[in-house]
Amino acid sequence: MVKVQWFEDGLENKKFTEPVMSNLNPVFKQPIELDFIFPRKQIFHIFVYDFECCLEKNLIGKVDITLGAVVGAPEQTVTLDLKNDEGRDSGQITIRADKHSRINMTAYMKWQGINLKNYYGPCIGCFKKSNPLLLFNRNDYINPVFVTDVIKENLNPEFPPFSISLHTLCNGKKTRPIKIDYCHQEGDQIISVARANTDFAHIEKKEKIPLFLSNGKEGGYLLPTQVTLVHDPIFLDYIMGGEELSLSVAIDFTASNNDPTNPRSLHYFNPSGLNQYQQALMEVGEILLNYDSDQRVVAMGFGAVPQYPTLRGKEVSHCFPLTGQSWEVIGLQGLMQAYDYARRNIKLSGPTYFHHVIRQTLSAIANSPSNVYSILLILTDGMIFDMNETIQAIIDASEKPLSII
């Protein structure tokens, strides 16, 4: 049996697979459902137990993994070494990530009312017809999840087409109950007239759905005349389809950051921990690099005079490699090392210009494979002095596979 444990908002969560009896190479059929949150580092603790005995005393092995590492792996599959409590090898576990197909579906629908029961209120009676509208409700929601437009004085109304996500409508489950209220609007007041109880599986059949008044009598019919389900791509679809992320980082070394030997500097040589630039690199890098198979990061600096043994200058550079040589480093560790090397081999200067690093990134994109989406992370401490040039560079980048953070 496998247990997956994680902590969210300080609370422990855990889920289990089914036990597989008398088998040292088990294939677990019971999936463990988890919420994937792209911008968050989701750490999961995996425990494999011998089910025949007390779980607490018969741990076979354990391992930690982030959900992003699984999702970003080739074919969303990783094989990990298990360790027992003594730190010894105790086998391997293979984990594969998949997604619910129902998560990202949108329903496009058009509805018609047929012979709706007229609302006999104190003001309209027999002389006016109802002003119908429909309220779509889920059993677990107090407020409606969708409200149609009002159709004036019509007992056979055709409501304008609309779209709603399947998750919003029925939590992605076609057999989950849906309540549709036929209401009459009089001024600001909405008055319930009749209700239909159905589900999306029935709606898809495009058959008449009876409405019932509060006394149990028929109140007319609703007919879904158009029902179309459309798959809306999400981040997971692109990753599972072979898309990769490519990270570029540009770091501000202008004089406004203060000298790295100054404890108030954002580039401070902090003997007891990470400075603010290092923290930002860690937090963003460890998320995005899960989805980059070659782990190559373009590492740039700007706003300083390079003083490297291999790259020396007398004037400020608005785009230079952090290593003083190659533009690329390998992985998060390589990025952190390049940053530390750079702050020891540059002279803070200025002013702050962005358009040079954006142009450099666009040049790199021109030579990238078609399945690569680039992200440029610019870490800076204040205002920029090339606003017009930066705006134009962003406009030029707007049609490229690039996001700028």
Side-chain angles (χ1 to χ4, degrees), residues 133-333:
L133 70 156
L134 302 180
L135 275 61
F136 290 77
N137 298 271
R138 277 169 49 172
N139 285 344
D140 56 342
Y141 275 33
I142 297 176
N143 297 320
V145 295
F146 187 81
V147 180
T148 68
D149 292 342
V150 178
I151 307 297
K152 296 291 186 179
E153 299 187 29
N154 193 330
L155 298 180
N156 292 281
E158 292 186 7
F159 298 96
F162 64 91
S163 63
I164 184 172
S165 76
L166 204 62
H167 178 78
T168 299
L169 182 62
C170 55
N171 200 31
K173 300 176 182 178
K174 292 185 178 182
T175 57
R176 193 178 188 123
I178 299 171
K179 297 179 294 186
I180 308 175
D181 288 333
Y182 150 49
C183 299
H184 162 71
Q185 185 177 54
E186 185 68 26
D188 293 333
Q189 188 177 13
I190 295 178
I191 303 164
S192 179
V193 181
R195 171 173 290 180
N197 291 290
T198 185
D199 56 40
F200 192 80
H202 187 81
I203 292 173
E204 275 191 305
K205 298 177 182 179
K206 293 189 285 188
E207 298 175 349
K208 288 197 300 184
I209 303 171
L211 287 159
F212 294 95
L213 306 175
S214 59
N215 60 10
K217 294 183 179 181
E218 290 189 359
Y221 296 89
L222 295 176
L223 177 64
T225 56
Q226 295 179 16
V227 181
T228 304
L229 267 183
V230 176
H231 177 81
D232 299 319
I234 59 175
F235 177 75
L236 278 177
D237 292 306
Y238 291 105
I239 295 299
M240 292 181 174
E243 191 80 4
E244 292 190 12
L245 300 185
S246 177
L247 177 62
S248 297
V249 176
I251 299 176
D252 182 346
F253 286 103
T254 55
S256 57
N257 286 279
N258 291 320
D259 187 275
T261 59
N262 184 340
R264 301 185 64 179
S265 171
L266 298 177
H267 291 298
Y268 179 50
F269 295 112
N270 190 345
S272 59
L274 303 178
N275 64 36
Q276 293 189 41
Y277 279 98
Q278 290 170 316
Q279 291 175 26
L281 290 173
M282 286 287 292
E283 291 174 3
V284 176
E286 65 184 4
I287 297 294
L288 296 181
L289 287 174
N290 284 318
Y291 312 100
D292 185 352
S293 63
D294 64 13
Q295 296 286 294
R296 294 182 180 274
V297 181
V298 177
M300 300 172 283
F302 62 91
V305 179
Q307 300 289 297
Y308 297 90
T310 54
L311 179 65
R312 300 185 68 85
K314 296 181 179 180
E315 297 182 353
V316 60
S317 173
H318 299 293
C319 185
F320 58 89
L322 288 188
T323 65
Q325 301 181 75
S326 172
W327 290 101
E328 292 184 337
V329 297
I330 303 299
L332 184 57
Q333 182 178 358

Side-chain angles (χ1 to χ4, degrees), residues 83-100:
K83 302 287 186 180
N84 61 22
D85 282 334
E86 298 176 352
R88 297 178 181 175
D89 292 338
S90 56
Q92 293 182 319
I93 186 170
T94 297
I95 304 171
R96 181 177 182 270
D98 205 347
K99 66 180 182 64
H100 282 301

